[in-house]
Amino acid sequence: MSGWSIFNGINPFDDWATVVDCGDAPLTFLDNTVALKQLDLAHKVISSRPATTRSKSSIPRIITLGGDHTTTLSALRSTYEKWGPVSVIHFDSHIDTWDPDVLGGGISHYAGVNHGTFLHIAHEEGLINNSSLHVGIRAPLICRKGDVRNDIRCGFQILTARDLDRFGIAGMVERIKDRVGDNRVYISVDIDVLDPSYAPGTPEPILLQKMV
């Protein structure tokens, strides 16, 4: 039980949760647009099944693992259908709220839907609250003022990687809680938020210049 100390000594698997491995969603690797539609359908099917749980809600909580970060868009669409808009806690090195006309060049809709624009699109679709935030940001911005302005418009605040040094873990947790309040929360984690020593395959060095 010591491994569950962060849950105040409660093992959630023995408390209220029944964990089911739903397998892999069948996705084509030939067309991202089609793949997202396939993932939308997979989420819809899984979330429509009543959960076997001792909690008050019969709606299953879905944890998705792996894949390009664009897959979060399908997850947020599914979450919205069951819970309405949510506050997103986004652990990442990058903000991922870039305007598709900026990241994708406005060449086509296909090019504009990608791993760096999905939170912008989620905002445009009304899936998220204006009480969301990024945690661990340390990667370059394309256009600092424009990117930050659009990020704020999409409902986000930024806690940088350097903020962890300034505020400590407890301080970061309090700032996250203050930001999201009592709203329902969706948590998204990109592996490059980790220190490169723990995820050497996706290194993102901390910038020395001021992010915002």
Side-chain angles (χ1 to χ4, degrees), residues 19 107 118 162 176 210:
V19 181
I107 299 172
F118 66 91
R162 287 298 187 193
I176 292 171
K210 185 177 180 181

Side-chain angles (χ1 to χ4, degrees), residues 151-208:
D151 191 62
I152 294 172
R153 187 184 69 83
C154 289
F156 283 84
Q157 284 185 356
I158 294 176
L159 286 174
T160 67
R162 287 298 187 193
D163 285 333
L164 180 59
D165 298 327
R166 294 171 56 199
F167 304 129
I169 294 175
M172 294 286 276
V173 170
E174 287 304 311
R175 282 163 175 77
I176 292 171
K177 290 167 64 177
D178 289 343
R179 177 62 175 168
V180 301
D182 294 329
N183 292 317
R184 291 191 173 98
V185 167
Y186 180 93
I187 299 175
S188 180
V189 181
D190 191 324
I191 193 171
D192 68 14
V193 76
L194 299 180
D195 186 280
S197 62
Y198 297 101
T202 56
E204 189 64 62
I206 295 179
L207 295 180
L208 297 179

Side-chain angles (χ1 to χ4, degrees), residues 116-135:
T117 64
F118 66 91
L119 288 175
H120 174 102
I121 297 169
H123 165 76
E124 295 295 300
E125 294 184 5
L127 308 179
I128 59 180
N129 291 319
N130 290 326
S131 54
S132 299
L133 79 163
H134 311 288
V135 184

Side-chain angles (χ1 to χ4, degrees), residues 95 97-98 102 141-151:
I95 57 175
T97 54
W98 279 290
V102 174
L141 300 174
I142 299 173
C143 175
R144 184 181 301 174
K145 290 184 178 179
D147 291 345
V148 173
R149 188 183 305 116
N150 186 64
D151 191 62

Side-chain angles (χ1 to χ4, degrees), residues 92-111:
D92 203 329
S93 288
H94 310 84
I95 57 175
D96 292 349
T97 54
W98 279 290
D99 189 321
D101 287 342
V102 174
L103 192 64
I107 299 172
S108 67
H109 174 74
Y110 180 93

Side-chain angles (χ1 to χ4, degrees), residues 2-78:
S2 60
W4 300 101
S5 59
I6 60 172
F7 297 105
N8 295 320
I10 297 175
N11 184 335
F13 299 105
D14 290 335
D15 181 40
W16 62 268
T18 300
V19 181
V20 178
D21 184 350
C22 297
D24 298 328
L27 305 179
T28 178
F29 60 87
L30 299 174
D31 189 313
N32 287 343
T33 303
V34 174
L36 278 176
K37 290 179 180 178
Q38 291 175 313
L39 191 55
D40 286 346
L41 179 59
H43 272 284
K44 184 173 294 185
V45 170
I46 295 172
S47 63
S48 66
R49 297 171 179 169
T52 304
T53 177
R54 292 189 290 275
S55 69
K56 295 180 180 179
S57 174
S58 63
I59 302 174
R61 273 72 161 180
I62 301 174
I63 299 174
T64 57
L65 300 173
D68 183 296
H69 214 167
T70 317
T71 60
T72 303
L73 183 57
S74 292
L76 287 171
R77 287 168 175 166
S78 172

